[in-house]
Amino acid sequence: EAQVTQNPRYLITVTGKKLTVTCSQNMNHEYMSWYRQDPGLGLRQIYYSMNVEVTDKGDVPEGYKVSRKEKRNFPLILESPSPNQTSLYFCASRPGPRDEQFFGPGTRLTVL
Amino acid sequence: GENVEQHPSTLSVQEGDSAVIKCTYSDSASNYFPWYKQELGKRPQLIIDIRSNVGEKKDQRIAVTLNKTAKHFSLHITETQPEDSAVYFCAASRGGGSYIPTFGRGTSLIVHP
């Protein structure tokens, strides 16, 4: 089944404790993105990747890192999480720049 | 950069009525306009999209219209059903390699039986 997976789905952590949210897609898509969703603010892009080893900042990259060492994986790294990073995070992938985005199931992160 | 405004933020209709959600964008170079539906607790999913070389696109009960001169596009849902209740997001982006879509803030549509 073609899909985008994320892990973990739920995470409660404390300020400053490094964490990684994994994202994997099995559709051989070139493009992958990370979004955060906050009430009243919609979906805001954090980082995106156009191919292996090619990443760039989105609208809200501060406090986040990403890597794209393999085409299928695009992990999101929070080196020192803070409470303002409490949010719902979605990973997405698409074949090309103007194609439909396929979203993962979401990761609800709480930073205490 | 691109700025997308979406209205209304909440829309309440009776089953069978029509619903219209409107978005405006700022970047005249934008040429791809998707609409996503997000049901409660689920991921966003594409329901329809339009590219700048057409003015209208229909898919059963949903349609999208685009006015490039005025820089606005709209989602129309006819004969609404309770299962249409969800949050709807519009987005706009320009083509080219980077394609960073900008999303509207979402419209919560409630369809009352």
Side-chain angles (χ1 to χ4, degrees):
Chain A
E1 179 189 357
Q3 59 182 347
V4 179
T5 57
Q6 292 178 230
N7 282 293
R9 297 287 315 280
Y10 303 90
L11 179 60
I12 301 174
T13 190
V14 296
T15 299
K17 186 177 181 180
K18 181 179 178 179
L19 67 91
T20 299
V21 184
T22 64
C23 173
S24 184
Q25 51 96 3
N26 62 1
M27 295 171 279
N28 201 37
H29 287 170
E30 302 274 340
Y31 290 74
M32 297 185 76
S33 298
W34 274 104
Y35 294 88
R36 62 178 289 173
Q37 184 176 21
D38 302 289
L41 296 179
L43 290 157
R44 293 181 293 167
Q45 187 157 202
I46 303 170
Y47 269 95
Y48 67 97
S49 170
M50 293 181 282
N51 212 326
V52 174
E53 303 291 2
V54 182
T55 63
D56 207 349
K57 297 177 181 178
D59 298 320
V60 288
E62 295 77 21
Y64 304 95
K65 286 175 56 178
V66 293
S67 69
R68 188 93 180 273
K69 293 183 169 56
E70 306 165 278
K71 197 171 189 178
R72 64 183 293 126
N73 296 323
F74 191 43
L76 179 69
I77 303 155
L78 284 73
E79 295 270 5
S80 183
S82 61
N84 64 12
Q85 292 178 299
T86 292
S87 188
L88 177 60
Y89 292 86
F90 286 101
C91 179
S93 74
R94 60 194 185 273
R98 293 202 304 162
D99 293 320
E100 173 184 356
Q101 291 202 79
F102 294 85
F103 285 84
T107 294
R108 186 165 293 283
L109 172 66
T110 301
V111 183
L112 302 174
Chain B
E2 176 66 278
N3 182 48
V4 177
E5 299 282 342
Q6 182 172 347
H7 298 281
S9 57
T10 305
L11 180 58
S12 183
V13 300
Q14 289 296 128
E15 183 176 0
D17 288 350
S18 295
V20 180
I21 302 170
K22 299 181 179 181
C23 289
T24 60
Y25 61 98
S26 60
D27 187 349
S28 57
S30 288
N31 54 15
Y32 177 60
F33 307 93
W35 285 89
Y36 288 84
K37 175 183 180 182
Q38 185 179 27
E39 297 176 353
L40 189 62
K42 296 191 176 180
R43 71 194 78 186
Q45 290 189 294
L46 181 77
I47 54 170
I48 195 167
D49 57 13
I50 191 167
R51 301 175 195 274
S52 60
N53 56 342
V54 296
E56 184 176 7
K57 183 177 179 180
K58 288 183 179 180
D59 184 3
Q60 299 182 345
R61 295 187 297 108
I62 60 172
V64 57
T65 58
L66 171 65
N67 183 326
K68 285 207 71 183
T69 303
K71 289 191 282 188
H72 69 70
F73 56 112
S74 301
L75 178 71
H76 304 255
I77 306 174
T78 58
E79 299 172 22
T80 54
Q81 301 167 4
E83 50 265 40
D84 293 329
S85 297
V87 177
Y88 291 80
F89 293 98
C90 64
S93 73
R94 56 169 65 197
S98 61
Y99 175 56
I100 303 178
T102 300
F103 283 82
R105 295 191 174 194
T107 296
S108 177
L109 173 65
I110 303 165
V111 181
H112 299 279

